[in-house]
Amino acid sequence: MKYTTLGRTGLKTAVISFGGIPIQRSDAANTMAVVDRLEKHGINYIDTARGYTVSEEYLGRALKGRREKFILATKSMARDYEGMKKDIETSLSNLQTDYIDVYQLHNIKVGDFDTVFGGNGAFKALLEAKKEGKIGFIGATAHGTDSLEKLVEEHRQDIDTLMFPYNIVETQGHRILQKAKEKGIGTIAMKPLAGGNLDNRPLALRFIAASGVCDISIPGMGDVAEVDKNAAVRENLSPLTEAELEEAEKVKKELGSRFCRRCGYCAPCTVGIDIPSNFLFVNYLRKYGLADWAAERYRTLKVNASDCIQCGACEQRCPYNLPIRQMLKGVVSDFARYEESKKY
Ligand code: SF4
Ligand code: SF4
């Protein structure tokens, strides 16, 4: 595995590291197998979050007895002092450790800054935890360039790492990430495979490694096979050739910016629709020549896109401002068209 230094933290981190979102769709036994495989491949940076339901807990169990072999990062959506203090303790307990290497402010938005960095804000709790030796470094994650820029411009001394979406179709943070790197902030690419929308994994991960603005990327890995696939890319992290750059450009044009990253922030849907799964299945229907499989999976959903009551609650929570209601209508009509076509 190729390693790099994560900015001013000095942590020697695998260039392709581990994103823990998919663990919440997993179980304790599978998580153990995943961590075994991470260890085998030398993937040493594990990122999770308080918000990823069981992820911290399962990872904590799997890390028992080998905590020191990994760099642990987690995050909290708490914005105030008490909330963050409580969440740090919960993370320590879930992860079964007395020390977390990087603790991040999760999905910070411009409107959160006054509270977070104010007298009674979450940042104060992070500073205290750092002084007490409970956490090593303070990081932040964001989805909007406005908040990323504000972090770099106004808080570059406070924040040691920044995590931001970066992939073939989402390079909007490039300039600001470059600035962050120049200031010694460790930079982490989230959504390296654009939420599963990029099929060519080696191309996608090499694109990020060659960008020069992301120290590491953290593809989500929910099973051993995914760990192996990501680890395999380490063998060749060379810059993209002209032909590969053209291919990346083609992918970017095809995918556009209106696609679901499967982050799950839109949940819970008022009527129980699993929004990202609906978008995933329709992608398979539209693009990957797996129409029958996609339709079969869509049919198994107890509640699906056609049940949307158009309340709009999900759209307020989507960090990518996707017009979810409109997109779900597209899901309904595409599957209806498919079912119709099967009648003849
Ligand atoms: S708009 Fe539709 S998908 Fe979104 S929360 Fe409401 S019912 Fe669910
Ligand atoms: S619709 Fe938005 S919030 Fe929901 S999973 Fe997709 S990208 Fe994430």
Side-chain angles (χ1 to χ4, degrees), residues 1-18 38 41-46 67-73 99 101-102 137 160-161 186-188 215-218:
M1 179 52 72
K2 189 176 171 201
Y3 295 87
T4 192
T5 304
L6 187 59
R8 69 168 79 107
T9 69
L11 297 167
K12 296 282 180 279
T13 312
V15 169
I16 296 173
S17 275
F18 173 84
L38 294 176
H41 288 302
I43 297 177
N44 67 343
Y45 187 92
I46 289 181
R67 158 71 186 92
E68 74 291 347
K69 293 181 178 165
F70 293 91
I71 297 163
L72 265 188
Y99 176 75
D101 296 273
V102 182
F137 300 96
D160 301 309
T161 67
T187 50
I188 303 163
D215 292 323
I216 64 171
S217 62
I218 52 160

Side-chain angles (χ1 to χ4, degrees), residues 143-183:
H143 291 82
T145 48
D146 52 355
S147 39
L148 182 68
E149 182 135 44
K150 204 168 162 62
L151 283 162
V152 176
E153 291 303 330
E154 297 173 16
H155 295 283
R156 54 180 168 263
Q157 305 305 333
D158 304 326
I159 299 295
D160 301 309
T161 67
L162 277 175
M163 188 192 293
F164 196 74
Y166 195 95
N167 57 55
I168 287 173
V169 284
E170 296 181 284
T171 52
Q172 67 277 13
H174 189 98
R175 180 186 59 81
I176 314 167
L177 287 168
Q178 189 158 33
K179 206 182 261 187
K181 250 181 96 73
E182 286 162 16
K183 304 289 175 201

Side-chain angles (χ1 to χ4, degrees), residues 268-271 273 275 308-314 317 324-325 328:
C269 159
T270 312
V271 297
I273 299 169
I275 296 168
C308 173
I309 56 167
Q310 301 288 308
C311 68
C314 53
R317 294 188 286 260
I324 297 174
R325 288 173 285 185
L328 286 176

Side-chain angles (χ1 to χ4, degrees), residues 3 28 40 93 106 122 132 146 171 182 213 215 236 269 279 287 297 299 301 306 308 310 327 338:
Y3 295 87
K40 178 179 166 237
S93 162
H106 193 172
E132 289 163 9
D146 52 355
T171 52
E182 286 162 16
V213 298
D215 292 323
N236 176 13
C269 159
F279 293 145
K287 287 192 269 186
R297 296 295 303 273
R299 278 185 224 116
L301 295 171
S306 64
C308 173
Q310 301 288 308
M327 288 166 70
Y338 168 84

Side-chain angles (χ1 to χ4, degrees), residues 176-308:
I176 314 167
L177 287 168
Q178 189 158 33
K179 206 182 261 187
K181 250 181 96 73
E182 286 162 16
K183 304 289 175 201
I185 298 171
T187 50
I188 303 163
M190 67 160 114
K191 313 278 172 242
L193 303 177
N197 284 284
L198 299 174
D199 293 331
N200 189 335
R201 189 180 300 258
L203 185 81
L205 296 178
R206 283 173 54 219
F207 177 86
I208 298 166
S211 71
V213 298
C214 301
D215 292 323
I216 64 171
S217 62
I218 52 160
M221 306 184 209
D223 57 40
V224 165
E226 272 185 313
V227 180
D228 287 346
K229 281 186 211 160
N230 289 318
V233 183
R234 72 187 162 172
E235 305 303 336
N236 176 13
L237 282 172
S238 58
L240 303 189
T241 62
E242 277 302 316
E244 287 169 333
L245 282 170
E246 272 173 33
E247 194 187 334
E249 199 51 40
K250 196 170 149 237
V251 170
K252 186 173 182 170
K253 277 201 189 113
E254 276 172 12
L255 204 52
S257 59
R258 233 181 68 165
F259 62 92
C260 171
R261 282 76 166 174
R262 302 187 66 204
C263 60
Y265 290 134
C266 50
C269 159
T270 312
V271 297
I273 299 169
D274 178 344
I275 296 168
S277 289
N278 277 265
F279 293 145
L280 177 73
F281 297 155
V282 85
N283 269 353
Y284 279 111
L285 175 78
R286 289 169 182 161
K287 287 192 269 186
Y288 303 125
L290 290 167
D292 291 345
W293 178 86
E296 197 188 314
R297 296 295 303 273
Y298 184 70
R299 278 185 224 116
T300 64
L301 295 171
K302 284 199 182 94
V303 191
N304 68 25
S306 64
D307 296 300
C308 173

